[in-house]
Amino acid sequence: GEEVAQTPKHLVRGEGQKAKLYCAPIKGHSYVFWYQQVLKNEFKFLISFQNENVFDETGMPKERFSAKCLPNSPCSLEIQATKLEDSAVYFCASSQVGTGTGGEKLFFGSGTQLSVL
Amino acid sequence: QKEVEQDPGPLSVPEGAIVSLNCTYSNSAFQYFMWYRQYSRKGPELLMYTYSSGNKEDGRFTAQVDKSSKYISLFIRDSQPSDSATYLCAMIQAGTALIFGKGTTLSVSS
């Protein structure tokens, strides 16, 4: 598609429940990035993929968070046993080339608002 | 000290004003500098993209990078109510993830 599609737009989970978010990158883009936006403006990088391979996972919490990008499927970000502090907007972005190469223009989806109650 | 510092505002200006938005950074390895605009309940949208020091102009928007001072700016001329949004600076060094500032909320009144 011509835009990054994220689903669902809103997700409500009770503490301890699992949450799974999906992202379809722009067609032809090889790189996918996940960011967490807490308290409206603080963006935190989580993980990036080059096709189905993890490219950079330095921002991923070691426990409870996992992500995948499989061929012919939307990418996914899964949070096991959600906590109150996981409440945030999760943005997915895609780009044609990797970061630091001079072509990294990231295109963002509209985000998934996760509320953990 | 955070890698990227940006005054969150809010900044309120009348229509037609010149707006100046700024970020400072501490990592001298940053090479690429961007400004994103984010409307409420939307993802960030790339506005300006510059490499190294210098100016870049696109319509009413001008981006400036001063690597010696570790300082970047975005100027908006003839501001419009439709420019009301949050503006995020972002920067990157080779092989790493994009780092965002906290964003400055701008309100342009008609």
Side-chain angles (χ1 to χ4, degrees):
Chain A
E2 292 298 317
E3 60 179 30
V4 176
Q6 288 189 250
T7 55
K9 287 195 186 306
H10 303 280
L11 190 57
V12 180
R13 287 289 178 266
E15 214 175 352
Q17 290 186 317
K18 185 173 76 174
K20 196 163 185 178
L21 292 59
Y22 296 92
C23 168
I26 292 172
K27 194 174 178 182
H29 283 193
S30 302
Y31 290 82
V32 170
F33 306 80
W34 284 99
Y35 280 85
Q36 180 194 53
Q37 188 182 30
V38 178
L39 298 174
K40 195 177 177 188
N41 286 343
E42 193 82 56
F43 273 85
K44 181 191 172 192
F45 168 74
L46 294 175
I47 190 169
S48 61
F49 288 84
Q50 179 183 10
N51 297 312
E52 60 266 27
N53 304 307
V54 174
F55 187 72
D56 181 351
E57 58 182 346
T58 51
M60 273 298 256
K62 293 283 187 279
E63 298 172 354
R64 303 189 299 109
F65 282 65
S66 62
K68 289 180 190 175
C69 278
L70 299 174
N72 304 313
S73 297
C75 295
S76 63
L77 176 69
E78 190 167 316
I79 309 172
Q80 302 286 342
T82 52
K83 296 184 177 181
L84 296 176
E85 67 249 32
D86 297 332
S87 295
V89 182
Y90 291 83
F91 284 102
C92 173
S94 70
S95 73
Q96 281 187 306
V97 298
T99 55
T101 61
E104 56 284 285
K105 296 179 183 178
L106 270 62
F107 294 85
F108 282 80
S110 292
T112 293
Q113 170 77 61
L114 172 65
S115 298
V116 181
L117 307 177
Chain B
Q1 182 191 8
K2 282 187 173 287
E3 279 194 289
V4 180
E5 299 276 3
Q6 183 176 10
D7 185 341
L11 183 60
S12 295
V13 301
E15 186 175 354
I18 296 174
V19 176
S20 171
L21 304 166
N22 311 294
C23 287
T24 58
Y25 62 94
S26 57
N27 186 349
S28 57
F30 285 138
Q31 298 169 287
Y32 305 93
F33 304 90
M34 285 142 271
W35 286 94
Y36 280 82
R37 178 175 61 196
Q38 186 179 21
Y39 290 114
S40 183
R41 302 178 192 217
K42 294 286 187 183
E45 166 196 15
L46 182 64
L47 263 184
M48 299 290 283
Y49 177 94
T50 52
Y51 172 67
S52 198
S53 285
N55 292 0
K56 185 174 183 179
E57 192 172 317
D58 184 1
R60 296 184 295 109
F61 299 89
T62 300
Q64 281 186 353
V65 174
D66 182 347
K67 289 193 78 178
S68 62
S69 302
K70 297 193 184 70
Y71 188 87
I72 69 169
S73 301
L74 177 71
F75 297 96
I76 308 174
R77 288 184 299 281
D78 187 26
S79 55
Q80 303 293 310
S82 58
D83 295 328
S84 298
T86 296
Y87 290 80
L88 299 129
C89 63
M91 44 200 80
I92 198 166
Q93 64 182 94
T96 65
L98 202 59
I99 305 292
F100 283 92
K102 279 192 172 184
T104 300
T105 301
L106 172 67
S107 176
V108 181
S109 55
S110 56

